[in-house]
Amino acid sequence: MIRNGHGAAGGAEPPGPEGRRAVRVWCDGCYDMVHYGHSNQLRQARAMGDYLIVGVHTDEEISKHKGPPVFTQEERYKMVRAIKWVDEVVPAAPYVTTLETLDKHNCDFCVHGNDITLTVDGRDTYEEVKQAGRYRECRRTQGVSTTDLVGRMLLVTKAHHSGHEISSEYREYADSFGKCPGGRNPWTGVSQFLQTSQKIIQFASGKEPQPGETVIYVAGAFDLFHIGHVDFLEKVHGLAQRPYVIAGLHFDQEVNHYKGKNYPIMNLHERTLSVLACRYVSEVVIGAPYAVTAELLDHFKVDLVCHGKTEIVPDKDGSDPYQDSQARAAPEDGRHHLPCPLACRSPREGASFARSTAGTT
């Protein structure tokens, strides 16, 4: 088992309120191409109890019942582990949720979204626990699903920006893919997701830096938040004993400027929730400036600036966006260092995204 939680990783299970026994909640799933909808489900599940255990299915089980996953089971375990509402991850969880599974992990009930999950032979995977009264439902997050994200990638990586004449059949497909009542379709480039202040409050920790904490600033697109981002943020988080990591997320137009084509696939509001759900991030700057200026460093009292091994694209005026933080990296100061020798997008990340596009085209 991989233990982690709101306190120290692998710490003891906290007691329930007023000393009562802690309510243990079980969730399970594939958690392939993890997005903020998955995180919101786990947030709701955690709120129903005191300790959340998440079972993640193996590649073999998923392939048997749904088809091959995009990410490997080890990558999916790590992605779920990085979600801040998860206290414990159980690898190789069975695809069908049984009372035996709940009892084995001392869980009071399981939680799933208000949709039906079926086995390869058409059976409800939660039938047994439903009949026993040990099943709870949470609301699905409107405007996002793995299918919708795949649709956006398909439209972006093929005819949508190929410059070729688009057939009426493809146009019809593009206009209807992932469309929901009252929603927008991927062809418009606008997500169906509607951000609210309440949703941000639900995801945000609300904690400010405390005396003795090291404020670390990172910036980027963090589009389609994935294992490469998690690896990077985990390394950043480990640079200090008491880290306070601030992630600056660039505006959609800024991301499009340096990534091109029709990126980002997720809009700024969606990317904000994805990053806020990560346990290694304390705060998010929504629409951060591309250049890490002296004013930004002073405003957030930044001690350390980190960037990965990806290419740093010059600002629109041709300047280095990190020049101010580099100027402060004097040896006698020791406060600001750039770049950190960390891989924001490691070769594995590139391979992961290649799998995600190759597996859906």
Side-chain angles (χ1 to χ4, degrees):
M1 296 180 183
I2 307 167
R3 294 183 181 274
N4 60 282
H6 306 278
E13 176 183 332
E18 300 179 356
R20 65 166 172 76
R21 185 185 70 82
V23 175
R24 293 167 64 90
V25 181
W26 173 270
C27 283
D28 56 30
C30 304
Y31 300 102
D32 194 22
M33 292 183 64
V34 171
H35 51 71
Y36 62 91
H38 294 122
S39 300
N40 193 38
Q41 181 233 350
L42 297 175
R43 179 193 66 81
Q44 294 179 76
R46 181 60 168 76
M48 297 181 189
D50 306 302
Y51 192 82
L52 177 61
I53 302 175
V54 181
V56 182
H57 309 317
T58 63
D59 298 341
E60 182 181 1
E61 279 283 89
I62 298 172
S63 297
K64 175 183 175 182
H65 294 280
K66 297 182 65 174
V70 172
F71 290 94
T72 69
Q73 59 198 42
E74 295 300 327
E75 291 173 322
R76 293 184 288 107
Y77 298 156
K78 188 164 189 176
M79 285 298 297
V80 175
R81 184 189 181 198
I83 297 173
K84 64 185 178 182
W85 296 287
V86 177
D87 294 295
E88 183 179 322
V89 171
V90 176
Y95 199 81
V96 176
T97 308
T98 63
L99 294 175
E100 180 182 0
T101 298
L102 297 187
D103 292 341
K104 177 181 178 180
H105 299 283
N106 298 316
C107 290
D108 296 85
F109 53 85
C110 73
V111 177
H112 186 66
N114 53 348
D115 61 325
I116 297 177
T117 304
L118 303 175
T119 63
V120 66
D121 56 2
R123 185 160 60 95
D124 185 346
T125 59
Y126 296 98
E127 181 180 1
E128 183 175 324
V129 292
K130 285 179 178 179
Q131 291 178 353
R134 294 173 65 179
Y135 175 85
R136 306 285 187 276
E137 278 189 355
C138 62
R139 295 171 58 187
R140 287 181 60 83
T141 304
Q142 294 297 318
V144 66
S145 67
T146 302
T147 302
D148 177 62
L149 293 178
V150 170
R152 296 189 210 180
M153 287 191 290
L154 283 170
L155 295 174
V156 166
T157 57
K158 298 180 77 173
H160 181 56
H161 55 71
S162 66
H164 296 132
E165 185 68 25
I166 300 171
S167 68
S168 58
E169 291 81 3
Y170 186 83
R171 172 77 69 174
E172 182 180 355
Y173 164 78
D175 287 341
S176 63
F177 195 102
K179 196 169 184 179
C180 64
R184 304 291 293 276
N185 65 64
W187 183 262
T188 66
V190 179
S191 167
Q192 303 167 26
F193 173 71
L194 297 177
Q195 180 67 288
T196 64
S197 59
Q198 181 62 30
K199 187 62 64 184
I200 293 178
I201 291 170
Q202 290 170 343
F203 272 59
S205 67
K207 297 178 181 178
E208 296 184 351
Q210 299 301 308
E213 290 184 327
T214 301
V215 179
I216 306 175
Y217 184 78
V218 299
F222 293 98
D223 193 20
L224 287 174
F225 195 76
H226 52 66
I227 191 67
H229 298 132
V230 169
D231 284 342
F232 170 65
L233 291 170
E234 183 180 25
K235 291 177 182 177
V236 169
H237 190 270
L239 292 175
Q241 283 192 329
R242 297 179 58 198
Y244 187 93
V245 179
I246 301 176
L249 270 62
H250 301 144
F251 282 113
D252 296 343
Q253 298 92 327
E254 199 72 64
V255 176
N256 183 258
H257 171 71
Y258 62 78
K259 292 195 72 172
K261 299 182 180 179
N262 276 354
Y263 291 103
I265 291 172
M266 282 184 160
N267 69 38
L268 176 60
H269 301 306
E270 296 176 302
R271 293 184 283 119
T272 295
L273 294 186
S274 297
V275 177
L276 279 174
C278 180
R279 67 174 61 254
Y280 305 119
V281 175
S282 304
E283 180 64 288
V284 168
V285 180
I286 305 172
Y290 185 65
V292 183
T293 63
E295 290 79 11
L296 183 148
L297 297 174
D298 292 338
H299 178 80
F300 291 108
K301 298 180 173 60
V302 175
D303 297 300
L304 188 65
V305 175
C306 293
H307 181 77
K309 293 181 178 178
T310 51
E311 177 187 3
I312 298 176
V313 179
D315 206 347
K316 293 176 181 177
D317 62 0
S319 63
D320 183 342
Y322 290 97
Q323 61 185 9
D324 284 358
S325 56
Q326 285 177 318
R328 295 192 180 192
E332 63 274 11
D333 180 8
R335 285 173 57 83
H336 303 285
H337 302 274
L338 181 80
C340 278
L342 301 173
C344 182
R345 288 195 297 179
S346 63
R348 179 171 64 167
E349 174 195 345
S352 297
F353 188 78
R355 281 202 307 277
S356 69
T357 54
T360 56
T361 54

